[in-house]
Amino acid sequence: EPRSPWCCLAWTLVIGTMNCLVFLLNLLLMFVIFTIVLLPTIVVVYFGFQCHSQVLHSSARYCKSILDDNSSSALIILGFVIMSPLLVVAMAIYCSLARRLRLLVCFQPYSLAVYKGGRWCRRGEGAPCCAGGCNTQLKAWV
């Protein structure tokens, strides 16, 4: 049975807010994982750019005694070379964690706002955000 226009608007706002919160949670999780995994690349490229005389040319002691322009260039190149495998590792970690936490199942369709009696999860989808009584088996094609 369809909802009234005002009720439909209210449920649309609730579902939209919930979907935005799930999206922000996914984005925060992705940001944290990528920052942690890519930290070696960030550090190596930062020190390479900081000590290179054509870029920042820092007056720090380690730049004068350890790193010259050639070694700074090598650090920059090394940082960009190790970035590709680390991006793959970070994406694999995020995907496995999102699948294990079932974060992508928490997005709710807007059809719940239009019709009364809709369920907060479809049969066969179990997630922490779904109402109780749902099946805990999750299939990739559903």
Side-chain angles (χ1 to χ4, degrees), residues 14-65:
V14 167
I15 292 171
T17 303
M18 187 175 126
N19 286 343
C20 286
L21 289 175
V22 170
F23 173 74
L24 290 175
L25 178 68
N26 277 304
L27 200 64
L28 178 68
L29 181 67
M30 187 182 294
F31 177 75
V32 167
I33 289 172
F34 273 71
T35 301
I36 291 172
V37 172
L38 292 176
L39 191 61
T41 299
I42 294 168
V43 169
V44 167
V45 170
Y46 171 75
F47 281 119
F49 277 126
Q50 185 182 15
C51 294
H52 199 280
S53 66
Q54 299 296 321
V55 184
L56 293 177
H57 194 60
S58 175
S59 61
R61 187 182 62 202
Y62 56 85
C63 287
K64 291 178 182 177
S65 62

Side-chain angles (χ1 to χ4, degrees), residues 47-126:
F47 281 119
F49 277 126
Q50 185 182 15
C51 294
H52 199 280
S53 66
Q54 299 296 321
V55 184
L56 293 177
H57 194 60
S58 175
S59 61
R61 187 182 62 202
Y62 56 85
C63 287
K64 291 178 182 177
S65 62
I66 299 173
L67 297 174
D68 59 352
D69 281 350
N70 291 333
S71 58
S72 296
S73 298
L75 282 179
I76 294 169
I77 292 169
L78 175 69
F80 284 114
V81 166
I82 65 172
M83 186 185 307
S84 297
L86 289 180
L87 280 172
V88 172
V89 168
M91 196 63 194
I93 291 171
Y94 167 73
C95 288
S96 67
L97 194 58
R99 181 174 168 83
R100 181 169 294 157
L101 295 176
R102 297 182 179 170
L103 292 176
L104 301 176
V105 179
C106 294
F107 287 105
Q108 297 298 324
Y110 284 104
S111 62
L112 291 175
V114 178
Y115 298 104
K116 292 181 184 177
R119 294 179 54 144
W120 281 100
C121 61
R122 293 176 289 282
R123 188 162 302 281
E125 295 180 357

